[in-house]
Each structure stands twice: as C-alpha cells, then as structure tokens.
Amino acid sequence: MKLVDELYDLYRNKLTGDEEDIDMLTFAFLEEMTREDLISMIAEMDEQELYDLMGLYLIESLKGKFAKEELGQQRTPTYQPRNIH
C-alpha cells in the first residue's frame, strides 16, 4: 500500500521500528484521520490489500475475544483492547 511506503520512508530514520514505535506512529496517524478519510483509502485499495486488511482485523479481533474469554476464566489480564478515538 502506498501509505505504508510513505510512512516508512518518512520515519525509517527517526524510529527504531520496534513494536512500541510502530504502535505510536499508527495511532498518531489514525487520530488525524476522519471516518471519511479511512473509507476513501479503503475504496482505493486493490483486492489483495482489502483481503489483507480484513485478514489482520479478523485475526486481531479473534485474538482479543479469545484472550478476553481466557481472562474471565483465569482472572489474569493478558490483553487490553485499544481505543484510538
């Protein structure tokens, strides 16, 4: 996706690329986007990008649900859902 390439080019020499930096960059970017901006970006995706996006969403959402269920059974926090807005 062109956006990923642009963000990478802008920040590859400024960030370490660890998970914390990537999370920070991602959430900072998303905070600046409107719903309409995001829908416009999705509309511009090719079929593979759309499948990749939905795949990641489903994977992370299912991990969260299973972790939440596990949390209820074990009473030890293993997952914290993130709210970017």
Side-chain angles (χ1 to χ4, degrees):
M1 178 178 217
K2 184 178 177 183
L3 173 63
V4 173
D5 293 337
E6 290 173 1
L7 288 172
Y8 176 77
D9 288 342
L10 280 171
Y11 293 100
R12 71 177 173 195
N13 295 323
K14 297 178 177 117
L15 301 174
T16 63
D18 66 11
E19 190 171 335
E20 188 174 303
D21 279 353
I22 292 169
D23 286 352
M24 179 195 66
L25 175 59
T26 300
F27 291 116
F29 171 79
L30 288 173
E31 285 178 358
E32 297 298 317
M33 302 299 288
T34 65
R35 183 177 196 278
E36 291 77 22
D37 293 335
L38 296 173
I39 290 173
S40 175
M41 291 174 66
I42 291 169
E44 293 175 4
M45 289 180 176
D46 64 29
E47 190 171 330
Q48 187 59 55
E49 289 174 321
L50 185 57
Y51 278 105
D52 292 346
L53 176 66
M54 288 305 301
L56 286 172
Y57 170 76
L58 289 170
I59 289 167
E60 292 302 319
S61 295
L62 287 168
K63 282 180 184 178
K65 285 208 172 280
F66 279 100
K68 190 181 261 188
E69 181 179 296
E70 189 176 296
L71 173 69
Q73 293 172 1
Q74 295 180 355
R75 304 277 188 230
T76 55
T78 57
Y79 172 78
Q80 291 294 328
R82 298 177 182 159
N83 185 359
I84 55 173
H85 286 286

